[in-house]
Structures are given as C-alpha cells and as structure tokens.
Amino acid sequence: MIQIQDLYKRFGKVQVLKGVNLDIGRGGIFAILGPNGSGKTTLIKSILGMVVADKGDIKIADKSVLRKFEYRKNIDYLPQIANFPANLTVSELIGMIRNLRAKTSSHEQLIDLFDLTPFLNQKLGNLSGGTRQKVNLVLTFMFDSELIILDEPTTGLDPVSLIRLKQRIEEEKKKGKTILISSHIMSFVEEIADEIVFLLDGKIHFKGTVSDLMKQTGQQNLEYAIANILTDNHA
Amino acid sequence: MLKILKYSFFDLMRSRWSYIYFLFYLALGFVLLFLNNDVSKAVITLMNIIVVLTPLIGTVFGIMYYYNSREFTELLLAQPLKRSTIFLGQYTGLSLSLSLSLVLGLGIPFLMYGILESAAIWNFASLLLTGAFLTFIFVALAYNIALSNENKIKGFGYAVLLWLFLAVIYDGLFLISLIVFEEYPLDKFSLAATVFNPIDLSRILILLKLDISALLGYTGASFKKFFGTGLGMFISFSALMLWVILPAWRIVVKARKKDF
Amino acid sequence: MKIVLKYYTFLFWLMISAISFAQEVEVCNSCTFSSLAEAISEVDKGARIYLKKGIYKEYDVLIDKPVQILAEKGAVLDAQGKGYGLIISADSVRISGITIRNIGKSYTKDFAAIYISRSKHFTVENAVLEKVFFGILVEKSHHGQISNNHISSEGIEEAGSGNGVHMWHSSNVVVEKNELHNLRDGIYFEFVKNSKVINNKSHDNIRYGLHFMFSNQNEYHYNTFTHNGAGVAVMFSKFITMTHNSFKENWGAASYGLLLKEIYDARIEYNRIEQNTVGINAEGSTRISYKNNNFISNGWAVKISGACYTNIFERNNFLYNSFDVSYNSNLNDNSFNNNYWSAYTGYDLDKNGIGDVPHRPVKLFSYVVNRTPETIVLLRSLFVDIINFSEKVSPVFTPDNLMDDSPLMKKIK
C-alpha cells in the first residue's frame, strides 16, 4: 500500500528523518511508535504531503505521490490537534468537508455514534476539546477511503467514545482497509495494532508484530518492551 | 478555490472583528459627514485615513488570520486540494471580506448623504477602489510574512514594521533624499520611488482624481507627461495590479515549499 | 431771448432731419453697390449702409467718414487671408452685425478684422469675427463701445496668433458681453485708461484671458475666464478694480487664475477662483485689497513672491485648496483677517463665530515644495501631515507672524 524509500527531512539544524525505508502492506492496523521528536508526525505528514521531504520517494498504490494532491482523495486523516474555524457550526464544517471531497459519506451514522446531534448548530469555537475531537473523528471516518491515518486519535476522548472509536477502527479493518496510527497510549496500541513500526532517531528501528517485539526484547508488556529498546539504545 | 474562498469569507463575515471594522468605518463616515457637512471635504479627509488605515488593518488582519487558522489550514491540507488553491482561497476570502467592510461601512453613510447626486461620486468611488486595492496588497504582504515566520510575535512585529516603513518612514527618506539631491534632475527618480511604495502609489492615484493632475505637472515635463495624460493613470493602475499579483504569486511559491 | 429760442428750434429740426433723413444705401450683389468699399466711398457723412446677406470678398476696406454699417445676418466680409477687414480712421463710426473672416497673418503687421485708429465715439457690436489674426485692434482711440461680439481664431502658438480685442493708448472704452476664444490674449490693454471690461467670456486662449500692461484706472467685472494659459494678467498697472469675476480651470505647468506683477492700489473683490494651478500669483504687488473672494480647489490659492507690501486679505473663503497660501519672502505687513479656511482645525468655545486659536495658512510642506518642486509627489502623505503638524506647533521655517488671528468658523455665503 505504502512504500517509503530513503526518506530524509531536515528542519533547520535538526535532521528529523535520516533515511526512512518502510513498506506497509494492504490491510491491517499499523502503529507508529517512537519517543518524542523521533519523527512520527513528520513521517505521517510526509505521506500526506504536508511536509515536503528533502530526499526520497513515497509511493501509494505504486504511484509516487510527491507534490501531488489528488491521491489524498483516498486517504482519511485525523490531525493531532482539532482546531477549526471558530465561527463555523459543526454541521457547516461537515458540509464544507463533504463539499470539498465530493464523495459519499456516512456522517449521519457517525454523528449518532458519537452523540453529536445536540452540538450540530453550535459554533466550533464554543465546543469543549473532547467534543471537538469527536467532530474531528466524524470528519475522518465519514468517507470510505482505503487508507486511514490517525494522529493521536485518543486525545481528550471519554471512555465511552474511546470504546466506540476502537470498535469503529476494528470495523474498518474488517473491510480490508489499511490503518496507520500514531499514539502514545501503549495499551491502546497493544490492543488494536497488528504491526508496530518503531521510529528512533529518524530511522525505522523495528518493524513487526507486537509479539515479535516482545520476543525480541524479552518483555511481557509493550510498554516495557519499548522502554527496553530506549534504555538499551541510550545505554 | 472558490469553495475555500467562500468558507473563509463567510467565516470572517461572521467574526466579531469584521463587525468592528465595519462599524468603525460606518461611524467614521457619519462623523466625517456630520463634522464637515460637505461631501467633497469629507472625501479629502477620508483619503488621508484610507491610505494609512486600510494597509494597517489589512496587515494586522492578514497576520492574525493566518496564525489563527493554521490548524484549519492543516485540515484542508489533508484534503485532496492543491496548496495554491487553499492559500489563494483564504487570501482572497480575507481580502474580500475586509474590502466589503470598507465599502459598505463608508458607502452607507455617504449614500445617505447623497453621494450619488454629488460631483464627488467618482472621487469617492476611486477612493473605495484604491482602499480595496490596498487591502488586497497588504493582506498579501502579511501572508508572505506569516508564511516565512513560524513565530507569531516575530511575524506580527515584522508586519507592523513593514506598515510603518511604507506608511511613514519611506516617505521621510524619500523627502530627505529629494531635498539633499535637489540640484539633480529628480522627476524620474521621484516617479520611480512612488511606484515602489503601494501606499504612495494609491495616494497619487487618488490625487490624480481628487486634487489636480496639473498641480503635479507644475514641477516639470516628465511630471506633466506622466500625470497630465491617461498614461499616469494607466501606469499607476498597472503598478498597483503588480503589487497585488507579485505578493500573491509569492504566496503560492512559498506555500508550495512550506512544511506544516 | 427770441433769437435764442429760434436758434434752438433750428437745431432741433436739424437733429430730427439728421435722424430721419440720413442717407441710406444698400449693398448686395444685385444692388447699386455690390461692394462695401465702393458704397463707403460714395456715401455722405452720417449715411447708413445696409449690408445684405452674401459673401463679400474684400479686404482693407477703409472707413474714413462717420457712417453706420448695419449688416444683415449672413453678411460676410471675407478677407481671404490677404490683410485687414475694416480700417476705421474716422469718428462716430458704428459697425453692427457683420461677420468678418479669414484675416491675414503676418509677423510684421498686426492685421485685424476691425482696425480702429485715432477714432472717437466708435461702436462695434454684434459682430462675428472668425479666423482672425487680431480681432479688434484699437489705437489711440477714445470713447468707444465694443459689445456682443464673438471673436475667435485657431491659435496654436503664441507668436503666430493675435489678440481678440487689442487696445493701445486709448481711453474710455467699454468692452461688454463679448465672447473671445482660441486667441493669444482674449483682451489686451496697453496704456489704456478709464475703461471697463464687463460680462465677457474669455476662454481657451493661449496666453491670457485678459491682459493689462501699463494701464491705470480700469475696471473689470462679471467676466468669466476659463481654460486660458492664465486667466488674467495685470502687470505694471495702478488702480485696477476687479470684482465678481470667475477664474476657472486655468490648468497647466505655469497657469494662473490671476497673475499680478508690479501693480499698486488694486481691489480684488467678490471673485470666484476655482480649480486653477495657482489661483492668484502676486509679485511686487502693493496695497491690494483681497476681500470676499472664493478660492476653491486650486493647487495654490494665493502664491506671494517677492516684495508685496500692505496686502489685505479679509473675509475670503479658502476651500479645499492643496495649498492655501504660499510665501517665499517675509510677510511685509500683509494681513489676514476674518477669512474662512476649510483647513482650519481650531474650535470656537465662546461661540462668537470666530475661532479661538489663530490659523496658520502657510504649511511647512508648501515651503519645501517651493524649494524642491519634485517633492509635490508627497502631497497629502502621512509623513507630510506629521511635519506640517510639527511646524504648526512650533514654526521654524515659515514666518511665525503669518496667521489669521480671527478665522471664521463658518463659510461666508
């Protein structure tokens, strides 16, 4: 589904990505992990074309996507911070994104799922962080795209919504979609991820299933496994 | 691009600041007319205000809007849209809404005072047109500054400095250099120096309508040729167009390379 | 007593007969006289010559006896570019209704449609003079009336064109209700005394609408001067009265509404001076009273340069001029009082109609422009407003006693 070849990116003096090579197959949930500043968000944004890579190539469905924009029709993206124009109402925003994508959408079902109906006519500026994140999720999942990219999807969600989110992710996976998630919440990752991509110092340090990782590190728990990698590396 | 333009525009038209800006011009229009009781005189006073104020407002709003809508911009960037579409859409949306506040805010009081029957109607119309031009120019310049500066405070500072420079300092340096080099033929130099500052350029454009082109022709043959004929009007307008097009073009270039 | 009465009766009958029994002849293609010159040479003194409709190709037509030439509409004297139209050298000549065209052009002779020399009590009225070099040229003549004429030419450059009404060493002439355009000067007076110019329209002339040189004790009222090189120029003259005239749209690099040079004791009152590059330009002008004038939308309303003494500006309206007053010399006991300035920003707390703070009509920027003309491109810029303001607060470059101590709060109607 996604092939990344020799990807470099530097921000000022900081070399964030130092030759990332990554092959992500079709179908399944892939978690991108790594310590702060390891380049997770940069990697995701490079795939989306929001960050312009210095060197390397990114292919989606065997086509290079650098400096293109049409391919994003087939990507659903959940940004890390949910901040919207304060003067639009929830339904206007949904209408606007639908208008921009011109694709069939299942927003009504999602609005029910996240109990957003009472907020539809409120201005986005007046919503709480959690509610805004729910709107963010609706915007992401309402289109039926083959590739879904979620950047910290659990931020600010109440437990009920979190469970519904997990269910939704599972459903999407069953439809055979490719889902890319970055998250800090290890339990969440452990629960849903099929494969883990571990980024360290701008490179892929590990790629494989959760059990592979535990085997490799000799730990019983993902959190410890990760900590182990980090301490080993810095030791 | 029209979709983005539409959303930016409606987003702004409903913001508090647009209302304040609109009400400010409305009040200004009424106060001017009330104090002067004469449309022609009010138009002259208005010129001084428009030439200084619309650039300032354009700069400040441009900077603020860019920084405030950064997350939303990111949301848009993840959609199947070209970068130029997004930024030009936002830019035109913002400029249009500011221009609309200006035109309506000043238009309503002047319409009520009978500008339509007054001889000053064309002066007034060209005043509003120039105001709109200045808005487009300075929003574009502000966007350029914002795109090049991640730091809000820095960006804001540069933008206000740019305004201060073009509105006041430039003219000061210009005047001093004219006086220092008064023994040399200066007409070409001063025409060129005017073109390089959009505020001066708009001022001249309004002067051509408002004051008297022949007054400017007083100083010499080049001036007379420039201001006395349609040529001056044409060149000034073309230069003003360039002042919109070049920064807008740089927005596109800058946006294409930028990381979000 | 009886004899005296008889004498008067005789005189009375003589006058009656003179009026009713004056000789009358007609000139037309099929009349006894088919040429005007021929008719004039044949008739007695005091005859009336009726010029019928038609085109008469004659020039240098000499009128050497008192006659009246009364032309019908459509009676045209065509000089074919060869010389003068009519040459009047007798007293009491009256010319009415004639059309004269195609006067010769010369760089050595002042060809005119009507040339009046050493004549008294002449009248030229209702004439149409077209494509003239000079229109009406008056020399050493007195007590005349020039009215309701339309004089025009196709003047392009100063040297190749003449004046509409040109008077030299003459006096007591009234120039009234004429229209003059596309000439060098509309009306030109040189060494002319006690004459009046009233209700004329002088426009689109290359040089001046009206021009006085060395001419004292003249007056002009209710005239309109538009689109001339300069509206009116008054030079080296004394006791000129100028009232109720309108000086408009005299545009261009060196254009003035009214140009005053070396004149004394003039009155300039109730005039309307609108949209001129310079409204009034005064040089070496002394004891001039400027009262109740309207200066509207001029580049400079009043520009005073060099040796102007005891000028009084009172009750004028200065409205929306780019510069109201410009001085390049000292104030020289000129005074400004009770004027209305649209640029005045003061207040009137005691509500007596007079501003409580004096108004300084000379801006620093006008001083700068005088020095370096190119700086005019900065007119009305914020920076200029700032320096003007600082100069207003503490005058450094402009004469600090130049001010109107009692500016009016309301425009004078």
Side-chain angles (χ1 to χ4, degrees):
Chain A
M1 188 74 197
I2 307 174
Q3 281 111 31
I4 299 173
Q5 290 158 3
D6 211 20
L7 198 68
Y8 284 85
K9 179 64 193 177
R10 167 197 287 273
F11 288 112
K13 283 177 188 161
V14 187
Q15 187 75 43
V16 180
L17 300 181
K18 304 169 181 167
V20 172
N21 284 292
L22 182 62
D23 202 333
I24 287 174
R26 193 173 290 268
I29 301 175
F30 299 84
I32 299 176
L33 304 178
N36 294 333
S38 60
K40 290 180 305 243
T41 300
T42 307
L43 184 63
I44 287 176
K45 286 187 170 180
S46 303
I47 296 170
L48 284 159
M50 290 163 71
V51 165
V52 184
D54 300 329
K55 212 175 117 188
D57 196 11
I58 299 171
K59 283 181 186 165
I60 292 179
D62 296 326
K63 273 183 209 153
S64 174
V65 296
L66 295 181
R67 294 183 182 272
K68 301 215 170 54
F69 64 94
E70 293 93 344
Y71 74 94
R72 288 199 284 266
K73 246 182 249 171
N74 297 317
I75 301 177
D76 292 334
Y77 169 60
L78 180 89
Q80 197 169 7
I81 309 162
N83 230 331
F84 304 113
N87 294 300
L88 289 183
T89 65
V90 174
S91 56
E92 277 170 334
L93 179 70
I94 293 173
M96 168 187 177
I97 299 293
R98 284 178 62 209
N99 188 1
L100 289 172
R101 293 287 278 256
K103 227 175 154 183
T104 52
S105 101
S106 55
H107 59 281
E108 280 152 0
Q109 185 211 332
L110 283 161
I111 288 166
D112 285 346
L113 183 67
F114 290 112
D115 301 318
L116 281 175
T117 322
F119 301 103
L120 279 181
N121 289 319
Q122 286 199 20
K123 286 194 175 176
L124 286 154
N126 300 335
L127 298 183
S128 72
T131 318
R132 254 184 275 175
Q133 181 68 354
K134 287 183 195 169
V135 174
N136 204 3
L137 286 167
V138 172
L139 292 178
T140 310
F141 284 109
M142 69 187 187
F143 300 108
D144 193 21
S145 303
E146 276 179 48
L147 179 60
I148 300 172
I149 299 175
L150 309 172
D151 199 354
E152 302 287 353
T154 56
T155 317
L157 286 186
D158 55 84
V160 181
S161 303
L162 190 60
I163 290 168
R164 286 178 184 166
L165 172 65
K166 282 183 209 163
Q167 286 168 348
R168 181 75 196 196
I169 294 174
E170 287 296 331
E171 281 168 33
E172 297 291 337
K173 181 188 162 188
K174 275 175 200 151
K175 287 187 206 159
K177 292 187 179 176
T178 313
I179 302 160
L180 220 59
I181 300 176
S182 86
S183 180
H184 278 105
I185 317 285
M186 290 306 150
S187 58
F188 176 73
V189 173
E190 198 169 358
E191 203 180 329
I192 62 162
D194 297 324
E195 272 196 54
I196 287 174
V197 175
F198 193 82
L199 267 176
L200 194 62
D201 286 337
K203 281 184 181 166
I204 306 288
H205 191 81
F206 172 84
K207 180 176 177 285
T209 59
V210 178
S211 48
D212 283 346
L213 182 68
M214 289 185 203
K215 241 181 255 167
Q216 200 177 332
T217 52
Q219 300 288 338
Q220 299 301 311
N221 166 303
L222 184 60
E223 214 153 359
Y224 284 100
I226 300 287
N228 186 276
I229 296 178
L230 291 176
T231 45
D232 274 7
N233 224 283
H234 289 285
Chain B
M1 192 176 106
L2 276 177
K3 286 174 186 170
I4 307 290
L5 191 160
K6 207 178 86 189
Y7 281 103
S8 291
F9 182 75
F10 284 116
D11 177 30
L12 278 157
M13 283 323 275
R14 271 180 290 179
S15 84
R16 194 156 33 112
W17 288 105
S18 286
Y19 284 116
I20 291 175
Y21 188 46
F22 165 73
L23 289 175
F24 167 75
Y25 273 122
L26 197 69
L28 180 73
F30 276 117
V31 166
L32 276 182
L33 288 165
F34 175 73
L35 287 181
N36 292 316
N37 232 323
D38 179 341
V39 172
S40 306
K41 194 181 170 186
V43 166
I44 291 179
T45 319
L46 207 54
M47 171 196 141
N48 295 320
I49 295 170
I50 281 193
V51 162
V52 173
L53 211 59
T54 47
L56 180 64
I57 301 282
T59 314
V60 171
F61 269 66
I63 284 281
M64 288 199 328
Y65 187 71
Y66 176 86
Y67 287 126
N68 281 345
S69 60
R70 197 144 54 171
E71 287 83 12
F72 179 59
T73 308
E74 284 183 24
L75 179 75
L76 290 177
L77 283 165
Q79 307 299 326
L81 295 168
K82 255 195 201 166
R83 284 188 173 190
S84 55
T85 308
I86 296 169
F87 286 96
L88 287 182
Q90 286 186 349
Y91 159 62
T92 25
L94 175 58
S95 307
L96 270 183
S97 78
L98 288 180
S99 306
L100 201 70
S101 296
L102 169 76
V103 170
L104 290 183
L106 288 177
I108 291 170
F110 275 78
L111 273 180
M112 286 171 67
Y113 263 75
I115 185 82
L116 286 182
E117 286 101 53
S118 156
I121 174 75
W122 291 113
N123 293 342
F124 184 67
S126 56
L127 203 61
L128 291 186
L129 182 70
T130 323
F133 255 115
L134 280 173
T135 305
F136 271 86
I137 291 168
F138 278 83
V139 171
L141 291 175
Y143 249 69
N144 270 296
I145 291 174
L147 278 167
S148 313
N149 289 285
E150 280 300 300
N151 187 333
K152 260 189 199 186
I153 308 290
K154 254 191 182 172
F156 201 84
Y158 285 141
V160 170
L161 264 183
L162 176 79
W163 171 80
L164 195 68
F165 178 77
L166 290 177
V168 185
I169 301 168
Y170 187 92
D171 288 349
L173 296 175
F174 186 8
L175 187 68
I176 290 166
S177 56
L178 283 176
I179 291 172
V180 169
F181 298 107
E182 64 184 353
E183 291 99 64
Y184 300 90
L186 289 170
D187 38 6
K188 296 231 168 66
F189 164 74
S190 43
L191 288 181
T194 307
V195 172
F196 283 110
N197 181 347
I199 295 185
D200 278 342
L201 194 61
S202 335
R203 192 171 43 73
I204 291 289
L205 207 60
I206 300 174
L207 283 185
L208 282 180
K209 292 237 54 148
L210 204 73
D211 268 73
I212 341 99
S213 44
L215 169 64
L216 296 155
Y218 181 81
T219 41
S222 306
F223 274 35
K224 198 178 173 191
K225 196 176 156 207
F226 188 79
F227 293 115
T229 61
L231 184 77
M233 208 58 149
F234 176 75
I235 291 180
S236 313
F237 248 106
S238 316
L240 218 49
M241 286 298 280
L242 276 183
W243 266 106
V244 177
I245 292 166
L246 289 181
W249 173 74
R250 196 174 168 274
I251 290 179
V252 174
V253 172
K254 199 77 194 163
R256 200 184 294 149
K257 291 185 192 144
K258 193 174 159 64
D259 300 314
F260 290 90
Chain C
M1 178 71 195
K2 233 178 184 173
I3 293 164
V4 173
L5 196 70
K6 244 183 187 166
Y7 176 73
Y8 273 112
T9 320
F10 172 74
L11 211 66
F12 176 73
W13 281 111
L14 200 72
M15 278 168 70
I16 291 290
S17 62
I19 290 162
S20 47
F21 303 115
Q23 188 189 14
E24 295 187 349
V25 297
E26 289 188 346
V27 178
C28 69
N29 287 329
S30 52
C31 305
T32 345
F33 299 111
S34 62
S35 127
L36 184 59
E38 193 189 337
I40 294 166
S41 64
E42 296 296 321
V43 297
D44 303 333
K45 284 184 182 174
R48 289 185 200 180
I49 301 170
Y50 291 93
L51 193 63
K52 294 286 174 189
K53 196 174 165 183
I55 292 173
Y56 303 89
K57 300 211 164 172
E58 297 179 56
Y59 63 96
D60 292 353
V61 177
L62 182 67
I63 304 172
D64 52 1
K65 57 185 90 160
V67 290
Q68 299 186 37
I69 297 175
L70 308 169
E72 212 175 68
K73 207 179 172 198
V76 177
L77 189 79
D78 187 343
Q80 307 149 73
K82 285 177 181 161
Y84 295 92
L86 304 176
I87 300 171
I88 299 171
S89 61
D91 292 345
S92 308
V93 173
R94 177 169 170 228
I95 311 287
S96 178
I98 196 167
T99 298
I100 303 178
R101 59 172 70 134
N102 300 328
I103 299 307
K105 284 199 167 45
S106 163
Y107 290 96
T108 51
K109 282 190 149 181
D110 294 339
F111 289 135
I114 299 174
Y115 173 42
I116 302 169
S117 178
R118 295 168 197 277
S119 160
K120 283 183 186 132
H121 304 288
F122 60 87
T123 304
V124 179
E125 61 189 17
N126 304 322
V128 177
L129 312 178
E130 297 168 336
K131 293 191 189 175
V132 298
F133 184 46
F134 282 77
I136 301 172
L137 180 57
V138 183
E139 268 178 29
K140 298 193 171 173
S141 301
H142 308 276
H143 302 284
Q145 173 91 21
I146 297 174
S147 53
N148 286 313
N149 303 294
H150 186 158
I151 306 176
S152 63
S153 186
E154 294 163 331
I156 297 161
E157 37 124 25
E158 254 184 49
S161 46
N163 304 324
V165 173
H166 182 110
M167 276 206 254
W168 186 67
H169 277 292
S170 300
S171 70
N172 297 300
V173 179
V174 177
V175 180
E176 200 178 7
K177 293 182 191 159
N178 301 288
E179 186 174 348
L180 313 115
H181 57 94
N182 300 91
L183 301 145
R184 182 169 62 193
D185 289 346
I187 302 168
Y188 178 85
F189 281 14
E190 192 172 340
F191 302 109
V192 174
K193 273 191 221 160
N194 302 324
S195 293
K196 290 181 185 172
V197 177
I198 302 165
N199 251 323
N200 299 284
K201 288 195 175 74
S202 186
H203 57 91
D204 298 291
N205 296 300
I206 302 166
R207 203 167 62 182
Y208 303 123
L210 169 62
H211 189 179
F212 292 94
M213 291 291 265
F214 313 106
S215 296
N216 304 332
Q217 270 101 11
N218 298 295
E219 50 195 87
Y220 64 97
H221 316 287
Y222 299 100
N223 302 288
T224 308
F225 305 99
T226 11
H227 292 290
N228 300 294
V232 174
V234 182
M235 299 174 172
F236 309 100
S237 301
K238 294 170 190 165
F239 300 102
I240 307 282
T241 307
M242 338 180 190
T243 74
H244 298 284
N245 300 291
S246 161
F247 305 81
K248 279 160 87 178
E249 293 161 48
N250 297 296
W251 278 144
S255 281
Y256 309 100
L258 173 56
L259 176 65
L260 306 175
K261 195 172 172 133
E262 300 300 326
I263 74 162
Y264 297 87
D265 302 291
R267 286 198 298 130
I268 300 172
E269 292 168 8
Y270 296 99
N271 298 291
R272 186 180 177 88
I273 297 144
E274 195 172 354
Q275 293 196 0
N276 305 287
T277 303
V278 179
I280 296 183
N281 188 66
E283 242 180 277
S285 304
T286 297
R287 291 188 300 276
I288 317 287
S289 126
Y290 301 84
K291 286 179 186 165
N292 292 86
N293 300 292
N294 279 305
F295 296 91
I296 306 167
S297 301
N298 299 288
W300 283 264
V302 179
K303 206 169 181 179
I304 295 197
S305 44
C308 292
Y309 296 90
T310 327
N311 292 321
I312 297 168
F313 290 86
E314 253 176 43
R315 301 188 64 76
N316 301 290
N317 286 320
F318 289 88
L319 308 173
Y320 331 125
N321 303 293
S322 303
F323 302 101
D324 284 331
V325 178
S326 146
Y327 260 85
N328 73 353
S329 62
N330 294 325
L331 187 59
N332 298 336
D333 71 348
N334 295 328
S335 72
F336 291 85
N337 268 310
N338 282 107
N339 299 288
Y340 173 77
W341 310 87
S342 66
Y344 181 58
T345 49
Y347 43 83
D348 178 23
L349 291 181
D350 52 8
K351 297 270 171 208
N352 62 353
I354 291 167
D356 298 345
V357 282
H359 178 65
R360 299 182 167 281
V362 179
K363 294 174 185 161
L364 173 60
F365 185 53
S366 90
Y367 173 85
V368 172
V369 170
N370 267 341
R371 201 179 131 158
T372 317
E374 284 85 359
T375 54
I376 190 105
V377 291
L378 288 164
L379 180 69
R380 290 193 202 288
S381 68
L382 182 59
F383 185 77
V384 163
D385 287 349
I386 292 170
I387 61 165
N388 277 341
F389 180 76
S390 67
E391 177 72 9
K392 196 162 121 185
V393 175
S394 58
V396 180
F397 299 98
T398 52
D400 57 350
N401 52 348
L402 202 165
M403 55 189 175
D404 189 337
D405 283 317
S406 44
L408 298 181
M409 293 306 290
K410 284 211 168 91
K411 193 159 93 178
I412 299 156
K413 300 271 175 208

